[in-house]
């Protein structure tokens, strides 16, 4: 049988890794893109134009576009990754978040039913550890009660339940992966890990003075996105449709992530003070930085309600899917992100220098 995957959210962190993973497995991969005023799709630019990789305009808010696309593509697997995925932004744009992250899931399920593909097309829903929210037990597994604690999480809860409903009502092979935080070199730059690794690189290279963060005590179970997309695929290859927690089983704080990231760029921090007054002071590293507060806390990054104790139990995924939650350790993850961002920041510098030189040469009439 020909394997045809349709990925919503193909331009995102996970969508880009999943595309690579499925193409390597011989799938024909179709992805949904939205019209944007900037046409460069950074994470999938290297895949565009390659055989078996196709992009189509559609939107999670536009039912007709989804129905038509499912008809055109006739997918055997759908990976519904599209979402307004930033928790803090969901407090500012709650209605949009609900439309895309909740009703969008329903639109995908209905597009499959409308095209009579419910017996042949398997559906993966990108669910989230945010469902546990104001956690009722640690660590969290498939039986832990949900307590969503943001507009994002409430929308995703609808997505989780509507997938379960369609599985039971119509016998569809649709499942949710309850994924804990997963990061990478391709992580969006406003999520905390990437914000930290980019800032560490910029501070080490003299291009930023300070990093402002919110709640440093927040605890997360951070894994590597490349390892997690494999699990999305495994969930759809299972003999029956089930929901799975995907996590590493190891928990760290935002402060620990920051400390380790700065160590990798040669800066040792000592954290002093509490709450809003806490500061990360440089105690060893480049001479001009020693004694300076490089990390500070800003209320701007506090959330009206914050999820502070996520810690997943991946026992079921390990046993039933044979997935290895320990493939990439926390230490390896921080290192690979920092190394990537040191290179990125250095390259930005080089490009800037070329631009500055060019401007100067133009001004002096050296080049025309
Ligand atoms: P991401 O990088 O923010 O990517 C989100 C994707 O959704 C982008 O491709 C975005 O397209 C697309 N999208 C947003 N609104 C859309 C709309 N109205 N119509 C069509 N596409 C739309 O997110 P990610 O980290 O890859 O996460 C993938 C999924 O897993 C999301 O559903 C997220 O909520 C969920 N999840 C993520 C994590 C994590 O730690 N990363 C953990 C649990 C669950 P544009 O590029 O055009 O904006
Ligand atoms: N973004 C951000 N920026 N978060 C900060 C900051 C900051 O400056 N300072 C502290 N934090 C804290 C947040 O308050 C939160 O408790 C934690 O760091 C992680 O925040 P994010 O990296 O923004 O991720 P998230 O956990 O809220 O959401 C991500 O993971 C979910 C899975 O648990 C997203 O990828 C969601 O889409 C995903 O569902």
């Amino acid at each position: 049988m020909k394997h045809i995957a349709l990925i919503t959210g193909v331009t995102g962190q996970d969508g880009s890794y999943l595309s690579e993973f499925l193409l390597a497995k011989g799938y024909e991969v179709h992805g949904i893109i939205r019209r944007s005023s900037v046409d460069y799709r950074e994470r999938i630019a290297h895949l565009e134009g390659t055989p078996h990789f196709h992009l189509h305009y559609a939107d999670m808010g536009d039912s007709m576009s989804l129905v038509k696309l499912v008809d055109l593509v006739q997918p055997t697997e759908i990976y519904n990754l599209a979402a307004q995925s930033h928790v803090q932004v969901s407090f500012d744009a709650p209605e949009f978040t609900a439309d895309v992250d909740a009703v969008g899931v329903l639109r995908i399920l209905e597009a499959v039913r409308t095209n009579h593909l419910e017996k042949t097309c398997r559906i993966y829903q990108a669910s989230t550890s945010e469902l546990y929210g104001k956690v009722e037990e640690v660590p969290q597994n498939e039986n832990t009660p949900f307590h969503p604690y943001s507009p994002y999480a409430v929308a995703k809860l609808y997505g989780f339940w509507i997938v379960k409903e369609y599985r039971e009502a119509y016998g569809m092979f649709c499942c949710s992966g309850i994924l804990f935080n997963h990061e990478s070199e391709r992580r969006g730059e406003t999520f905390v890990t990437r914000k930290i690794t980019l800032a560490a690189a910029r501070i080490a290279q003299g291009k930023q003075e300070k990093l402002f963060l919110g709640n440093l005590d927040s605890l997360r179970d951070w894994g590597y996105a490349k390892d997690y997309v494999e699990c999305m695929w495994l969930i759809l290859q299972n003999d029956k449709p089930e929901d799975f927690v995907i996590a590493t089983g190891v928990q760290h704080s935002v402060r620990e992530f920051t400390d380790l990231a700065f160590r990798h760029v040669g800066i040792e921090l000592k954290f002093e003070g509490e709450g809003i007054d806490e500061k990360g002071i440089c105690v060893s590293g480049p001479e001009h930085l020693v004694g300076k507060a490089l990390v500070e806390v800003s209320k701007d990054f506090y959330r009206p309600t914050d999820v502070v104790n996520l810690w997943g139990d991946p026992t079921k995924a390990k046993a039933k899917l044979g997935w290895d939650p320990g493939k990439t350790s926390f230490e390896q993850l921080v290192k690979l992100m920092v190394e990537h961002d040191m290179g990125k920041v250095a390259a930005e510098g080089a490009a800037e220098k070329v631009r500055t030189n060019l401007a100067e040469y133009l001004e002096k009439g050296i080049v025309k």
Side-chain angles (χ1 to χ4, degrees), residues 9-14 34 43 59-60 81-83 85 100 126-128 152 156 179-182 187:
V10 75
T11 56
Q13 171 189 257
D14 292 4
R34 310 190 271 175
R43 297 187 182 103
D59 197 289
M60 296 305 290
L81 312 183
S85 74
V100 175
S127 193
T128 167
Y152 167 81
K156 283 282 186 178
L179 270 59
F180 282 62
N181 298 50
H182 44 281
R187 185 56 145 155

Side-chain angles (χ1 to χ4, degrees), residues 11-291:
T11 56
Q13 171 189 257
D14 292 4
S16 66
Y17 285 123
L18 182 65
S19 298
E20 289 167 3
F21 179 85
L22 294 176
L23 286 168
K25 286 217 167 291
Y27 278 62
E28 187 179 308
V29 175
H30 296 260
I32 286 179
I33 49 167
R34 310 190 271 175
R35 197 267 154 181
S36 155
S37 64
V38 181
D39 262 345
Y40 182 60
R41 294 174 278 270
E42 194 180 1
R43 297 187 182 103
I44 54 166
H46 60 294
L47 298 177
E48 290 192 41
T50 59
H52 312 299
F53 185 67
H54 313 277
L55 298 175
H56 311 267
Y57 284 104
D59 197 289
M60 296 305 290
D62 182 341
S63 306
M64 288 306 288
S65 71
L66 297 175
V67 171
K68 279 194 286 182
L69 190 57
V70 169
D71 182 33
L72 178 79
V73 169
Q74 297 282 309
T76 56
E77 293 174 12
I78 294 181
Y79 294 86
N80 184 36
L81 312 183
Q84 189 302 93
S85 74
H86 202 284
V87 174
Q88 189 158 9
V89 171
S90 78
F91 289 95
D92 297 327
E95 187 181 339
F96 172 75
T97 303
D99 192 43
V100 175
D101 299 13
V103 186
V105 186
L106 177 68
R107 292 188 184 108
I108 285 287
L109 293 165
E110 277 297 306
V112 170
R113 288 190 66 227
T114 306
N115 285 293
H116 310 294
L117 296 177
E118 60 268 52
K119 295 286 173 254
T120 54
C121 177
R122 297 185 169 198
I123 304 163
Y124 171 85
Q125 164 59 16
S127 193
T128 167
S129 51
E130 287 290 311
L131 298 189
Y132 300 118
K134 194 176 180 190
V135 299
E136 301 196 1
E137 67 181 22
V138 278
Q140 296 96 32
N141 63 35
E142 290 79 1
N143 300 316
T144 303
F146 296 138
H147 189 146
Y149 214 35
S150 66
Y152 167 81
V154 174
K156 283 282 186 178
L157 187 67
Y158 176 88
F160 177 87
W161 281 109
I162 201 68
V163 161
K164 200 169 160 58
E165 177 58 23
Y166 273 51
R167 184 160 76 213
E168 288 172 19
Y170 306 118
M172 290 169 72
F173 196 112
C174 43
C175 325
S176 292
I178 306 173
L179 270 59
F180 282 62
N181 298 50
H182 44 281
E183 319 295 311
S184 73
E185 312 88 301
R186 297 184 193 168
R187 185 56 145 155
E189 296 183 7
T190 59
F191 294 98
V192 77
T193 55
R194 191 75 199 287
K195 184 174 163 183
I196 294 167
T197 57
L198 270 170
R202 289 195 177 119
I203 290 172
Q205 295 181 36
K207 293 176 182 155
Q208 185 172 328
E209 282 189 12
K210 265 187 217 298
L211 165 63
F212 290 97
L213 292 171
N215 185 359
L216 297 176
D217 290 319
S218 191
L219 296 162
R220 286 291 183 276
D221 179 328
W222 279 297
Y224 187 31
K226 235 182 188 174
D227 301 340
Y228 283 40
V229 298
E230 182 193 1
C231 227
M232 298 175 186
W233 177 76
L234 285 172
I235 289 173
L236 290 196
Q237 313 315 307
N238 197 23
D239 46 10
K240 57 181 180 116
E242 284 181 73
D243 305 321
F244 287 88
V245 159
I246 308 299
T248 67
V250 183
Q251 195 187 43
H252 292 276
S253 68
V254 170
R255 187 182 297 99
E256 283 174 86
F257 192 105
T258 311
D259 189 54
L260 193 53
F262 275 79
R263 257 174 222 278
H264 278 302
V265 300
I267 296 172
E268 203 182 319
L269 295 174
K270 185 169 179 243
F271 285 88
E272 289 177 357
E274 269 181 40
I276 194 82
D277 298 320
E278 185 166 353
K279 291 184 183 4
I281 317 275
C282 172
V283 289
S284 93
E287 212 177 310
H288 67 286
L289 295 179
V290 175

